[in-house]
């Protein structure tokens, strides 16, 4: 709890997150509408959102499309077991590939899950996605001990995180 | 690093010297920046403006503007293709015909044409590379930037032994997420700031925002690193440094970082990068070396080889023999806004008149994924470009959300920056309990996403906790509720978003 990077959220921050996490009102002046709903001056709402945007606490204020509905049905989580001492170097290279949307190192679980490098690919067809998997394999150039691709079969939930406050 | 010899530099310490030296970076972003500069330097505003105009005309100052992070405004790459000697000029001409190409050099070696493409989208970039490959009769090699080593400085007039040089390195990042207004501002910023006392006023008018909002947005772009620095851009390519070579090595992974860092610190190395390799071009480490002559450059390369013990590495020194094209990237400013839209939308004539057409939907979804600015009327600019009212845009968005094409529209919170954390959880859910477990798990507000995937571990969910200390408790609750073991896979390292290491230069 003493993480120096942790942002202290005051009560107004929490109320603002709560009011906007499901989305902004779709009107010409959405920040005015939020301000009105919270009984705040609009400048207060704008200043806080801008500060979060600048610090990265809000990635962006944007539309979140449903990739499935837009035709990107082949969503593959590619997972790779690569040597730990090369994992960062390899991850950097995989993350730089233009079609990789996310790339992470994650822990293995012995006996259940041998993979430490995760890279997400999105494509309209499974063949297209598999071609991308091959490109990743080429970048990993002989350092792969084992790998797998987990295609998603169904979205069961996609709401984004929700702030839960007691009381 | 000397500049034009006929130009006499202002004396060190004078207000003119400070104007050139100190404000390459700390440029005031107020609505009256020249007035504020004048106050700091004890010079009248009019004199500041006329001095900057004079320097621009003399070519000492390129522009008063921004240096953007590579790729921030769109995907970009260095690419090479092999062309038969008889075809070089024709193919170079074809390459230059693309507005998106801003550098094009002939170099020695079998891959003899090297060019830089900066495009509004990855799809367009690929299209160009493919077309060039077809024209050349050989596949284009895409040497995408992977990692960058650079000096964190403008250009220090006090000489190469500048007092405090900081080196910065980092993973190459993709295009920044820009709202329509931010993008429109970047576009206007590329050729530089107009030299008058309220330089933001015209842009503000054009975009339906205030000059104060312009300065806040620019400040935000600086904070986010989309703009690396803003201020006086001094031309520093020395006259007489005619020879330029790109030196490339095939360096083993384990040595690359250390070597890149060391090479970037050599005074005659102007750029140092790691780039993507390919079977036909296995070199991963790149340096640009400028010198007065070919022999000087070769001596410098030799000194690198002996000092850093590079004899075992496969190496190529590629001198440029002809520059076919050389200019700053202007890919935003030269293109109408519709160029970013997919071809189907941009070419649809009804796009601006029929608000419910498919083309408009495509543009709306595409543009609004990039984000909106925090200004009073965030839909104004987009609506104007589409020839719609703001109300019509909102109405259509409401419908798209109802149809399920958009899941939501609003701030995308980064829980980690708010003191929270995420983990990825995988579970093996027995088939006969599937519906029940989906229901149980989805009830947790902390479960942000949940996917069914093809694997023995068939349920994969993203769990968020705020504050971060609550994660363990949430995992516990999920295990208790379902009776199934969740395997937690928090990220140990992320390779896509901001990762910049500050390395001190001393």
């Amino acid at each position: 709890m003493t993480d120096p990077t942790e942002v202290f959220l005051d009560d107004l921050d929490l109320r603002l997150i709560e009011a906007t996490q499901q989305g902004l009102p779709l009107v010409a002046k959405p920040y005015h509408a939020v301000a009105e709903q919270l009984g705040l001056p609009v400048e207060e709402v704008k200043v806080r959102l801008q500060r979060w945007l600048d610090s990265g606490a809000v990635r962006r204020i944007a539309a979140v499309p449903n990739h499935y509905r837009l035709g990107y049905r082949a969503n593959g989580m590619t997972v790779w077991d690569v040597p730990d001492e090369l994992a960062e170097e390899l991850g950097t290279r995989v993350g730089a590939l233009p079609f990789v949307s996310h790339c992470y190192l994650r822990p293995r679980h012995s006996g259940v899950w041998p993979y430490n490098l995760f890279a997400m690919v999105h494509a309209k067809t499974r063949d297209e996605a598999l071609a991308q998997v091959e490109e990743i394999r080429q970048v990993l150039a002989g350092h792969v001990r084992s790998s797998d691709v987990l295609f998603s079969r169904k979205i069961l939930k996609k709401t984004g995180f929700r702030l839960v406050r007691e009381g | 690093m000397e500049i034009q010899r006929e130009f006499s530099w202002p004396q060190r310490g004078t207000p003119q010297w400070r104007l050139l030296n100190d404000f390459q970076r700390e440029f005031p972003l107020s609505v009256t920046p020249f007035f504020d500069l004048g106050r700091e330097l004890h010079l009248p505003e009019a004199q500041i403006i006329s001095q900057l105009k004079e320097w621009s005309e003399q070519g000492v100052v390129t522009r008063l503007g921004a240096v953007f992070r590579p790729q921030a405004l769109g995907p970009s790459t260095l690419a090479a293709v092999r062309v038969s000697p008889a075809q070089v000029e024709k193919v170079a001409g074809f390459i230059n015909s693309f507005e998106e190409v801003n550098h094009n050099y002939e170099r020695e070696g079998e891959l003899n044409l090297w060019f830089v493409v900066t495009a509004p989208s990855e799809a367009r970039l690929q299209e160009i590379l493919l077309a060039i490959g077809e024209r050349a009769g050989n596949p284009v090699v895409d040497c995408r930037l992977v990692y960058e080593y650079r000096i964190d400085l403008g250009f220090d007039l006090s000489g190469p032994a500048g007092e405090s040089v900081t080196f910065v390195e980092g993973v190459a990042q993709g295009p920044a997420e820009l709202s329509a207004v931010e993008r429109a501002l970047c576009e206007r910023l590329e050729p530089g700031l107009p030299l008058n006392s309220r330089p933001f006023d015209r842009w503000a008018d054009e975009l339906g925002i205030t000059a104060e909002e312009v300065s806040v947005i620019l400040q935000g772009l600086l904070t986010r690193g989309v703009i690396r620095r803003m201020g006086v851009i001094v031309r520093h390519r020395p006259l007489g440094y005619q020879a330029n070579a790109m030196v490339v090595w095939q360096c083993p992974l384990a040595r690359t970082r250390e070597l890149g860092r060391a090479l970037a610190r050599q005074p005659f190395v102007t750029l140092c990068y790691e780039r993507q390799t390919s079977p036909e071009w296995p070199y991963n480490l790149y340096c640009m070396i400028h010198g007065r002559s070919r022999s000087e450059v070769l001596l410098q390369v030799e000194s690198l080889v002996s000092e850093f013990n590079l004899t075992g590495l496969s190496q190529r020194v590629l001198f440029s023999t002809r520059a076919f094209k050389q200019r700053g990237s202007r890919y935003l400013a030269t293109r109408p806004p519709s160029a970013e839209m997919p071809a189907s939308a941009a070419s649809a004539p009804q796009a601006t008149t029929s608000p419910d057409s498919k083309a408009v939907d495509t543009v709306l979804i595409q543009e609004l994924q990039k984000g909106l600015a925090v200004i009073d009327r965030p839909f104004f600019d987009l609506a104007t470009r589409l020839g719609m009212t703001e109300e019509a845009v909102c109405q259509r968005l409401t419908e798209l959300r109802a149809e399920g094409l958009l899941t939501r529209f609003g701030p995308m919170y980064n829980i980690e920056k708010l003191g929270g954390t995420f983990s990825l959880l995988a579970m093996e859910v027995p088939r006969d309990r599937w519906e029940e477990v989906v229901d149980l798990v989805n009830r947790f507000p902390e479960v942000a996403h949940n996917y069914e995937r093809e694997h023995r571990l068939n349920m994969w969910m993203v769990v968020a906790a705020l504050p971060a200390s609550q994660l363990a408790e949430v995992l516990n609750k999920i295990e208790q509720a379902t009776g199934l073991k969740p395997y937690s896979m928090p990220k140990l390292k992320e390779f896509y978003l901001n990762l910049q290491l500050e390395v001190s230069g001393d």
Side-chain angles (χ1 to χ4, degrees):
Chain A
M1 294 309 295
T2 50
D3 181 353
T5 63
E6 197 158 304
V7 177
F8 178 75
L9 297 177
D10 65 19
D11 189 57
L12 255 183
D13 289 334
L14 294 172
R15 284 174 58 206
L16 183 56
I17 294 173
E18 236 172 357
T20 56
Q21 62 188 346
Q22 315 265 24
L24 286 174
L26 289 171
V27 294
K29 293 185 169 185
Y31 307 113
H32 285 75
V34 170
E36 196 173 321
Q37 185 194 334
L38 294 173
L40 292 172
V42 69
E43 287 310 316
E44 189 71 54
V45 169
K46 283 168 65 184
V47 163
R48 281 171 195 254
L49 285 173
Q50 185 65 51
R51 201 194 301 142
W52 285 338
L53 270 174
D54 294 346
S55 71
V58 168
R59 289 185 198 275
R60 58 188 185 277
I61 298 173
V64 184
N66 184 331
H67 284 110
Y68 267 48
R69 290 289 312 269
L70 295 180
Y72 287 85
R73 283 162 200 276
N75 146 349
M77 184 169 78
T78 76
V79 293
W80 312 83
D81 176 15
V82 297
D84 285 331
E85 63 279 11
L86 289 177
E88 285 202 18
E89 301 283 334
L90 294 169
T92 308
R93 283 162 178 75
V94 171
L97 292 170
F99 52 81
V100 169
S101 68
H102 301 82
C103 184
Y104 300 111
L105 285 187
R106 298 184 184 277
R108 301 181 179 88
H109 287 272
S110 97
V112 183
W113 188 255
Y115 311 109
N116 56 342
L117 182 64
F118 288 58
M120 295 297 310
V121 299
H122 302 269
K124 297 206 171 178
T125 65
R126 191 175 278 239
D127 282 349
E128 206 181 308
L130 287 173
Q132 295 174 345
V133 175
E134 282 322 298
E135 270 193 67
I136 298 178
R137 190 182 306 280
Q138 221 177 63
V139 167
L140 295 174
H143 298 295
V144 180
R145 291 191 286 235
S146 64
S147 70
D148 202 349
V149 186
L150 281 70
F151 280 101
S152 69
R153 198 174 272 167
K154 200 173 169 195
I155 300 180
L156 304 169
K157 186 179 186 182
K158 187 168 165 54
T159 53
F161 107 94
R162 302 249 171 109
L163 174 73
V164 215
R165 287 209 290 163
E166 285 103 62
Chain B
M1 287 214 237
E2 74 241 356
I3 314 251
Q4 273 114 317
R5 287 156 190 160
E6 66 276 20
F7 177 74
S8 63
W9 287 99
Q11 260 196 337
R12 189 173 181 146
T14 59
Q16 281 76 9
W17 187 86
R18 288 190 56 206
L19 180 58
L20 265 185
N21 194 65
D22 298 0
F23 295 99
Q24 296 180 29
R25 177 169 282 285
E26 301 301 323
F27 186 78
L29 275 182
S30 67
V31 295
T32 54
F34 304 111
F35 177 81
D36 295 350
L37 270 181
R39 224 171 24 188
E40 191 126 345
L41 296 172
H42 307 289
L43 286 178
E45 182 187 31
Q47 194 180 335
I48 301 263
I49 293 178
S50 67
Q51 180 68 77
L52 286 169
K53 278 187 180 155
E54 193 186 319
W55 282 334
S56 304
E57 278 156 22
Q58 292 170 335
V60 177
V61 166
T62 317
R63 63 185 189 280
L64 188 83
V67 175
F68 292 95
R69 165 171 75 66
Q71 303 215 74
L73 303 182
S76 168
T77 196
L78 170 71
V81 69
R82 173 184 194 160
V83 183
S84 70
Q87 290 287 314
V88 167
E89 283 176 25
K90 274 189 190 157
V91 176
F94 178 75
I95 294 175
N96 285 356
S97 72
F98 289 97
E99 196 45 46
E100 292 88 346
V101 170
N102 51 41
H103 291 268
N104 183 10
Y105 286 96
E106 182 185 23
R107 293 192 180 277
E108 296 168 350
E110 70 276 10
L111 280 175
N112 48 351
L113 277 183
W114 290 80
F115 51 96
V116 176
V117 190
T118 42
S121 69
E122 182 60 33
R124 176 68 184 150
L125 183 65
Q126 296 296 343
E127 191 180 291
I128 293 168
L129 297 185
L130 220 76
I132 292 175
E134 265 170 34
R135 181 70 181 75
N138 286 309
V140 168
V141 179
D142 180 349
C143 308
R144 198 68 65 117
L145 184 64
V146 169
Y147 203 85
E148 189 189 7
Y149 307 86
R150 64 188 170 91
I151 298 179
D152 185 22
L153 255 193
F155 165 59
D156 193 340
L157 298 187
S158 38
E163 295 93 80
S164 57
V165 179
T166 310
F167 285 88
V168 180
E169 61 177 73
V171 175
Q173 293 170 53
E177 285 155 351
L178 298 175
S179 66
V181 170
E182 286 169 338
R183 186 161 284 273
L185 270 181
C186 290
E187 187 180 307
R188 284 162 177 79
L189 199 53
E190 278 195 300
L193 231 59
L195 296 174
N196 63 50
S197 61
R198 294 186 56 93
F200 299 140
D201 281 8
R202 212 183 73 213
W203 299 349
D205 276 354
E206 287 168 2
L207 299 172
I209 60 182
T210 65
E212 285 76 14
E213 285 176 328
V214 170
S215 84
V216 170
I217 292 170
L218 291 179
Q219 192 58 60
L221 292 169
L222 265 168
T223 311
R224 275 152 58 198
V226 172
I227 296 176
R228 276 192 172 157
R229 67 184 173 91
M230 179 135 176
V232 183
I233 314 284
V234 176
R235 185 189 305 278
H236 63 281
R237 174 65 57 77
L239 283 185
Y241 279 55
Q242 305 292 2
N244 109 50
M246 184 170 81
V247 190
V248 298
W249 289 277
Q250 191 176 349
C251 181
L253 284 182
R255 264 192 86 187
T256 312
R257 284 292 135 84
E258 174 208 351
L259 195 54
R261 263 168 222 154
L263 293 176
R265 283 166 168 70
Q266 300 308 304
F268 49 83
V269 171
T270 49
L271 293 165
C272 185
Y273 296 118
E274 277 174 58
R275 294 185 175 277
Q276 198 79 66
T277 60
S278 55
E280 53 276 63
W281 190 253
Y283 305 96
N284 57 339
L285 193 58
Y286 289 61
C287 279
M288 289 300 309
I289 296 181
H290 288 269
R292 287 186 192 85
S293 65
R294 187 185 178 101
S295 54
E296 186 186 69
V297 170
L298 285 172
L299 275 176
Q300 285 162 338
V301 175
E302 261 174 52
S303 78
L304 291 181
V305 169
S306 65
E307 181 171 354
F308 299 107
N309 189 25
L310 307 179
T311 32
L313 303 186
S314 166
Q315 168 192 294
R316 303 291 298 270
V317 183
L318 306 164
F319 279 97
S320 72
T321 44
R322 268 185 289 184
F324 286 112
K325 195 174 195 179
Q326 189 180 16
R327 63 159 170 81
S329 67
R330 289 200 302 254
Y331 51 110
L332 285 174
T334 50
R335 197 148 302 134
S338 64
E340 273 176 70
M341 301 165 184
S344 61
S347 59
Q350 78 277 22
T352 51
T353 50
S354 161
D356 55 356
S357 70
K358 222 175 159 187
V360 167
D361 288 352
T362 313
V363 174
L364 278 180
I365 293 171
Q366 187 122 322
E367 288 297 300
L368 291 173
Q369 273 188 73
K370 297 175 187 163
L372 286 187
V374 187
I375 50 180
D376 287 347
R377 297 169 65 178
F379 300 108
F380 178 86
D381 178 62
L382 183 59
T384 310
R385 278 161 55 196
L386 289 170
M388 296 165 74
T389 63
E390 291 157 279
E391 286 70 25
V393 166
C394 291
Q395 176 60 33
R396 190 63 199 137
L397 287 175
T398 310
E399 289 160 12
L400 288 172
R401 199 175 49 184
E403 289 164 22
L405 280 155
L406 295 180
T407 54
R408 85 196 132 88
F409 181 88
M412 298 170 66
Y413 288 100
N414 178 354
I415 194 174
E416 287 161 328
K417 289 275 172 75
L418 293 167
T421 192
F422 272 122
S423 187
L424 179 68
L425 250 61
M427 288 202 310
E428 182 179 354
V429 181
R431 271 293 133 202
D432 57 341
R433 290 193 55 206
W434 183 257
E435 301 299 328
E436 174 213 343
V437 174
V438 170
D439 188 50
L440 279 171
V441 163
N442 283 359
R443 269 190 227 173
F444 283 89
E446 294 90 347
V447 172
H449 304 278
N450 190 5
Y451 284 88
E452 179 182 4
R453 293 197 179 274
E454 299 170 349
H455 192 267
R456 190 161 67 92
L457 295 172
N458 50 1
M459 186 180 282
W460 290 77
M461 58 203 118
V462 176
V463 173
L466 179 70
S469 51
Q470 272 179 6
L471 182 66
E473 198 185 321
V474 177
L475 300 190
N476 244 327
K477 280 190 194 159
I478 291 177
E479 183 163 5
Q480 272 168 18
T482 60
L484 300 169
K485 167 139 183 72
Y487 293 97
S488 180
M489 304 184 195
K491 71 176 179 211
L492 305 175
K493 180 124 198 169
E494 181 166 5
F495 295 109
Y496 176 65
L497 297 162
N498 291 323
L499 186 83
Q500 279 226 343
L501 306 169
E502 289 279 342
V503 181
S504 124
D506 38 5

